[in-house]
């Protein structure tokens, strides 16, 4: 018998609901909040309010698109953290009330584990292979940068991570310095395609082990741009493609240097990318080269499943459903990464 899971995601600035049948997506609706663009970043209080406005229509649309009646649902999975507490409370409270009223199990999902498990989602009539445990996963998003050895669906060992900014944050802050809109990652990616990545060199932090640091890169980029603007007020406009290509190159080089180190240290056959920054075309190309060079199988989520979405919450819920791993209405949302 099929398992139908409704997934709800509201950890940051996307309100999303999805319905899956086992691991196959039936619907995945995402309402992105435009209200933050003019502030150059997410404003927590505005995010919570927008989630409140969006949550009912988004869930309703997800059920309709999936052609599923709420009484057919096997369970409801929701993001319980990490994220903005006010935002998490909207999704988690709704999930609790709905599961309680339907008298079906409630499943809490960790947002970062869900990014990884997005690689197990299937699209209708497009079957694709899935990674085999143990695999190495680079999770790169707006709030997190993690190197994980994934031994099982919920056994993810942190072997490295950022000691300051996340990779997505580095993209977003660099974009802000260049006067580009938020979120800056996709914009930098677009400009970089027509730029020379070797035109400007930015120092990459050398942190011991498998850890990352991006705050120095951001500062050196800020000073570099500021100094050039003093000599030429049109410096950004005249060099936007090369500036984007060069900063993107530095971020990717930092990510892939540690990935190579991790590949050598672990005994994983499969290499997996996850999170919003895994949409970056330069990073996808670099990972493809790496996998070829080190004879690994590479798994990349499809572009629509890299950034925040509820299908990844639903599929994590599915694997927990199979284990009977449920929570009560007293589950408390958390804001920070949980130690693995
Ligand atoms: O996973 P995600 O949607 O949210 C978090 O959990 O943080 O990631 C959002 C991040 C943002 O920093 C955004 O700039 C970045 O992913 N991003 C990209 C690209 N698409 C999204 N960064 C670089 N290149 C892209 N194409
Ligand atoms: Zn995310």
């Amino acid at each position: 018998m099929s398992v139908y899971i409704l997934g709800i995601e509201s950890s940051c600035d996307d309100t999303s609901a999805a319905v899956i049948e086992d691991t196959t997506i039936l619907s995945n609706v995402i309402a992105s909040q435009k209200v933050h663009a003019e502030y150059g970043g997410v404003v927590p209080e505005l995010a919570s309010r927008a989630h409140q406005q969006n949550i009912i229509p988004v869930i309703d649309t997800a059920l309709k698109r999936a052609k599923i009646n709420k009484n057919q649902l096997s369970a409801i999975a929701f993001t319980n953290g990490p994220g903005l507490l006010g935002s998490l409370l909207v999704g988690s409270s709704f999930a609790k009330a709905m599961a309680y009223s339907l008298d079906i199990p409630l499943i809490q999902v960790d947002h970062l584990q869900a990014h990884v498990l997005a690689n197990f989602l299937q699209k209708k009539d497009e079957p694709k292979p899935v990674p085999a445990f143990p695999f190495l996963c680079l999770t790169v998003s707006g709030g997190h940068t993690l190197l994980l050895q994934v031994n099982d669906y919920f056994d993810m060992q942190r072997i490295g991570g950022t000691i300051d900014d996340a990779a997505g944050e580095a993209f977003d802050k660099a974009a802000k310095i260049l006067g580009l809109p938020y979120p800056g990652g996709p914009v930098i990616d677009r400009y970089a395609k027509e730029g020379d990545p070797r035109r400007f060199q930015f120092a990459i932090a050398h942190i011991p082990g498998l850890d990352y640091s991006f705050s120095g890169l951001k500062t050196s980029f800020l000073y570099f741009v500021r100094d050039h603007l003093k000599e030429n007020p049109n410096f950004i406009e005249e060099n936007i493609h090369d500036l984007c290509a060069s900063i993107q190159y530095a971020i990717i080089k930092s990510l892939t240097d540690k990935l190579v180190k991790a590949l050598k240290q672990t005994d994983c056959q499969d290499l997996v990318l996850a999170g919003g920054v895994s949409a970056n075309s330069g990073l996808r190309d670099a990972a493809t080269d790496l996998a070829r060079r080190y004879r690994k199988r590479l798994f990349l989520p499809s572009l629509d499943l890299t950034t925040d979405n509820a299908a990844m919450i639903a599929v994590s819920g599915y694997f927990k459903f199979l284990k009977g791993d449920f929570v009560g209405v007293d589950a408390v949302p958390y804001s920070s990464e949980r130690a693995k």
Side-chain angles (χ1 to χ4, degrees), residues 116 120 131-137 148-151 268 270-272:
V116 179
F120 290 85
F133 301 117
F135 58 80
L136 186 67
C137 182
L148 300 166
Q149 179 174 316
V150 182
N151 300 316
C268 298
D270 291 351
L271 172 62
V272 175

Side-chain angles (χ1 to χ4, degrees), residues 48-118:
S48 324
R49 286 190 220 167
H51 283 305
Q52 280 179 329
Q53 283 165 354
N54 293 340
I55 192 125
I56 292 177
V58 163
I59 291 175
D60 195 41
T61 309
L63 288 166
K64 282 191 181 125
R65 283 197 196 153
K67 298 191 176 64
I68 289 290
N69 183 294
K70 61 183 188 309
N71 296 312
Q72 289 172 270
L73 292 172
S74 315
I76 297 178
F78 68 98
T79 308
N80 208 19
L84 301 169
L85 281 179
S87 293
L88 290 164
L89 274 169
V90 178
S92 61
S93 307
F94 198 93
K96 288 171 185 175
M98 194 168 168
Y100 188 72
S101 70
L102 293 171
D103 196 20
I104 54 176
L106 182 65
I107 301 168
Q108 68 165 338
V109 170
D110 182 276
H111 182 87
L112 293 170
Q113 291 189 339
H115 270 301
V116 179
L117 297 177

Side-chain angles (χ1 to χ4, degrees), residues 9 11-12 111-112 115 141-144 275-276 306-309 312:
E9 156 64 30
S11 66
C12 191
H111 182 87
L112 293 170
H115 270 301
S141 71
H144 307 271
T306 55
T307 42
D308 290 350
N309 67 88
M312 69 184 195

Side-chain angles (χ1 to χ4, degrees), residues 20 70 251 285:
I20 60 170
K70 61 183 188 309
I251 297 170
D285 290 347

Side-chain angles (χ1 to χ4, degrees), residues 3-319:
V3 173
Y4 294 101
I5 307 276
L6 169 68
I8 299 175
E9 156 64 30
S10 71
S11 66
C12 191
D13 58 343
D14 294 300
T15 319
S16 180
V19 179
I20 60 170
E21 178 178 5
D22 300 332
T23 59
T24 301
I25 301 172
L26 301 182
S27 64
N28 190 21
V29 179
I30 303 167
S32 296
Q33 303 176 357
K34 305 274 178 284
V35 60
H36 309 287
E38 63 180 290
Y39 300 97
V42 178
V43 184
E45 183 53 34
L46 296 180
S48 324
R49 286 190 220 167
H51 283 305
Q52 280 179 329
Q53 283 165 354
N54 293 340
I55 192 125
I56 292 177
V58 163
I59 291 175
D60 195 41
T61 309
L63 288 166
K64 282 191 181 125
R65 283 197 196 153
K67 298 191 176 64
I68 289 290
N69 183 294
K70 61 183 188 309
N71 296 312
Q72 289 172 270
L73 292 172
S74 315
I76 297 178
F78 68 98
T79 308
N80 208 19
L84 301 169
L85 281 179
S87 293
L88 290 164
L89 274 169
V90 178
S92 61
S93 307
F94 198 93
K96 288 171 185 175
M98 194 168 168
Y100 188 72
S101 70
L102 293 171
D103 196 20
I104 54 176
L106 182 65
I107 301 168
Q108 68 165 338
V109 170
D110 182 276
H111 182 87
L112 293 170
Q113 291 189 339
H115 270 301
V116 179
L117 297 177
N119 283 282
F120 290 85
L121 280 165
Q122 299 287 344
K123 293 188 177 175
K124 251 187 169 167
D125 308 320
E126 294 174 38
K128 69 174 225 156
V130 294
F133 301 117
F135 58 80
L136 186 67
C137 182
L138 174 66
T139 305
V140 267
S141 71
H144 307 271
T145 299
L146 285 173
L147 261 174
L148 300 166
Q149 179 174 316
V150 182
N151 300 316
D152 204 348
Y153 297 110
F154 301 104
D155 177 3
M156 302 187 186
Q157 190 188 342
R158 186 191 195 278
I159 57 172
T162 185
I163 59 165
D164 42 53
D165 292 351
E169 223 173 331
F171 272 105
D172 295 339
K173 286 179 176 171
K176 197 168 183 178
I177 292 167
L178 297 174
L180 300 173
Y182 176 86
V187 189
I188 291 192
D189 192 355
R190 249 189 340 267
Y191 279 118
K193 284 187 181 137
E194 287 159 48
D196 175 3
R198 311 268 177 171
R199 169 90 186 282
F200 307 113
Q201 261 102 48
F202 300 108
I204 292 165
H206 291 286
I207 306 291
L210 296 174
D211 285 335
Y212 295 100
S213 167
F214 291 104
S215 70
L217 179 64
K218 170 198 67 191
T219 310
S220 69
F221 187 66
L222 174 68
Y223 290 162
F224 176 86
V225 172
R226 195 190 58 185
D227 291 348
H228 278 80
L229 278 176
K230 278 186 199 149
E231 289 161 23
N232 173 10
N234 299 323
F235 177 70
I236 293 179
E237 294 88 271
E238 287 170 11
N239 297 285
I240 189 73
H241 295 101
D242 292 344
L243 281 166
C244 287
S246 300
I247 190 70
Q248 175 170 300
Y249 176 82
I251 297 170
I252 294 173
K253 177 91 174 64
S254 168
L255 290 173
T256 50
D257 279 356
K258 294 294 167 90
L259 206 48
V260 169
K261 213 169 170 182
L263 280 174
K264 289 179 179 163
Q265 281 180 22
T266 55
D267 196 20
C268 298
Q269 267 320 299
D270 291 351
L271 172 62
V272 175
L273 296 193
V277 180
S278 72
N280 184 268
S281 57
L283 179 59
R284 290 169 92 92
D285 290 347
T288 306
D289 284 349
L290 257 184
R292 200 173 300 131
R293 199 155 11 114
Y294 290 90
R295 296 171 186 278
K296 303 288 176 189
R297 290 198 307 169
L298 177 67
F299 295 84
L300 300 169
S302 64
L303 286 180
D304 56 327
L305 299 177
T306 55
T307 42
D308 290 350
N309 67 88
M312 69 184 195
I313 306 304
V315 79
S316 309
Y318 170 74
F319 293 122

